[in-house]
Amino acid sequence: DGVFVGLSFVCPSVRANRGQAVNEQSASLANRYVTSGSVREAQALVPLNGRVTLRWRDYMAVESAISDLLAMEHEPLPTRLIAMCLLPGFVDQMIAHTAAEGGDGKRAAVVDASAGGDNGNYSSVCPAGVIDEIIAAMRGSGYRHVMQVARKQTPPAARSRRMFLGMFTSFANTLHQRGKGRLATVAGVMNQYVRHAAGIGAVVLQPVEARLSHSQLDAAIVPASGYAADQIGRYVSHCVFRKDLVLSGDLTRRVRLLALNAALIPWYATAIAAAADRRSPADADWDEAIGHVERLYGFHSAFYRFFEQNKAFSDIVDSFILKPAYPFALFR
């Protein structure tokens, strides 16, 4: 579909939605495209998960459905983010159902793609036309089934959320300490993980100079509406637009990592407010928090490159983020 130009929310002007629009800079961007070090080329096949691969056109159809969910402003933002996490699983189930039906050529079982190609490690490619039918049916129902599950009332999950986010922030804090080997990294992360699980001690979110109690972190959740919710929703939607979900790994995993970034923003906003002796975050604190999360945990950051390059640590992360309860723990 051509070249997509994304913006970094590290930039205050981007967070404030100020400055010259991208489409007004097309000539300059075209000149810089040839020499830019930040150009990434998406694969022709995009893994949905470890079993099914999507053609590019099919990926774009799924992406449009994710954007539909994020744009449902009548729904609380946490519900929209849960729905975003659930969507790839619903698509996977409907592909399997379609394959099981058999019948005509379009509804044939997924074909073997293991013989080669850019994503030869993935076992099957979804047949042409199936994703269009699936997304059209979901859109026609207003994503009713996905939203029903996303709205599900679940018990408060403060401890689980603290453990999930605590593990990732402890990884980030440990990676800031140069010269640490793998064993020392694991030991440091597990020590902080246990402390988060038990609610022991104070928490520091580098580079913010504030020590937070676990009760403060438990209260730091993604807001349902208002300025902060609008900014977080805008950030997540732009990450989807700029193709963060296809740069590496599979779509199911990347969506859940993007949800993690959204869930980290309230922690950083709370830390920034505490460092300034404010009891609750101001609008500017939310903006600054988005900048920290983009720089430290965004898909172009050293944090994610570390996991892409170290499968053992990536497997540890997957054991958390692929749990069915994961999105509910983050946003309930």
Side-chain angles (χ1 to χ4, degrees):
D1 288 291
V3 177
F4 292 82
V5 179
L7 301 173
S8 172
F9 276 67
V10 172
C11 175
S13 292
V14 172
R15 296 196 299 266
N17 206 21
R18 292 196 303 261
Q20 190 179 15
V22 171
N23 60 8
E24 296 172 1
Q25 306 176 57
S26 56
S28 172
L29 290 167
N31 291 333
R32 287 159 53 189
Y33 172 76
V34 180
T35 57
S36 175
S38 61
V39 173
R40 300 279 294 271
E41 186 171 349
Q43 302 292 337
L45 299 175
V46 179
L48 175 66
N49 50 40
R51 299 179 305 279
V52 177
T53 305
L54 305 176
R55 294 173 174 84
W56 178 256
R57 177 173 180 242
D58 292 335
Y59 163 74
M60 289 296 288
V62 176
E63 183 189 281
S64 72
I66 292 172
S67 297
D68 288 346
L69 296 173
L70 292 172
M72 291 183 173
E73 295 184 354
H74 59 284
E75 295 284 354
L77 179 60
T79 302
R80 287 180 263 159
L81 293 170
I82 292 171
M84 176 186 75
C85 291
L86 297 177
L87 184 76
F90 272 79
V91 171
D92 186 37
Q93 291 174 16
M94 295 176 77
I95 291 172
H97 175 72
T98 300
E101 282 186 354
D104 54 37
K106 186 184 292 185
R107 294 182 177 274
V110 288
V111 298
D112 185 12
S114 59
D118 292 329
N119 292 289
N121 291 331
Y122 293 83
S123 60
S124 56
V125 176
C126 184
V130 169
I131 293 295
D132 285 341
E133 290 185 9
I134 289 172
I135 299 302
M138 296 176 83
R139 185 172 285 128
S141 70
Y143 301 96
R144 179 167 56 90
H145 298 298
V146 179
M147 297 309 300
Q148 280 178 344
V149 178
R151 294 188 195 106
K152 187 167 117 179
Q153 295 300 315
T154 56
R159 184 170 177 267
S160 296
R161 179 172 58 252
R162 199 170 67 224
M163 290 165 65
F164 282 137
L165 300 184
M167 185 188 73
F168 285 97
T169 54
S170 62
F171 262 121
N173 286 348
T174 304
L175 288 173
H176 276 295
Q177 302 168 22
R178 296 178 181 235
K180 279 211 167 191
R182 289 192 179 193
L183 191 58
T185 299
V186 171
V189 170
M190 292 311 298
N191 174 56
Q192 293 192 51
Y193 179 76
V194 170
R195 289 174 56 205
H196 280 289
I200 299 171
V203 178
V204 176
L205 301 175
Q206 297 181 7
V208 183
E209 294 182 1
R211 298 178 68 82
L212 303 177
S213 68
H214 286 91
S215 62
Q216 286 175 292
L217 294 178
D218 289 347
I221 60 175
V222 171
S225 59
Y227 177 83
D230 290 343
Q231 285 291 79
I232 294 171
R234 180 170 158 257
Y235 170 59
V236 172
S237 296
H238 188 71
C239 290
V240 173
F241 163 78
R242 72 188 186 192
K243 304 298 171 284
D244 283 6
L245 300 181
V246 299
L247 294 182
S248 69
D250 63 62
L251 176 59
T252 301
R253 183 173 180 271
R254 289 290 251 191
V255 163
R256 288 175 174 241
L257 287 171
L258 181 55
L260 168 75
N261 286 7
L264 282 170
I265 291 169
W267 275 30
Y268 275 86
T270 300
I272 293 164
D277 292 324
R278 286 190 287 272
R279 297 188 64 180
S280 59
D283 289 351
D285 298 331
W286 288 102
D287 288 346
E288 187 178 346
I290 292 172
H292 279 309
V293 169
E294 170 85 317
R295 181 170 62 84
L296 298 173
Y297 303 93
F299 288 155
H300 298 83
S301 69
F303 179 78
Y304 276 107
R305 283 198 299 274
F306 172 80
F307 288 106
E308 289 173 3
Q309 296 164 3
N310 294 273
K311 188 175 186 307
F313 290 106
S314 181
D315 289 343
I316 293 173
V317 169
D318 285 351
S319 70
F320 283 83
I321 68 174
L322 297 180
K323 292 179 182 294
Y326 170 80
F328 296 95
L330 289 186
F331 302 117
R332 284 284 186 263

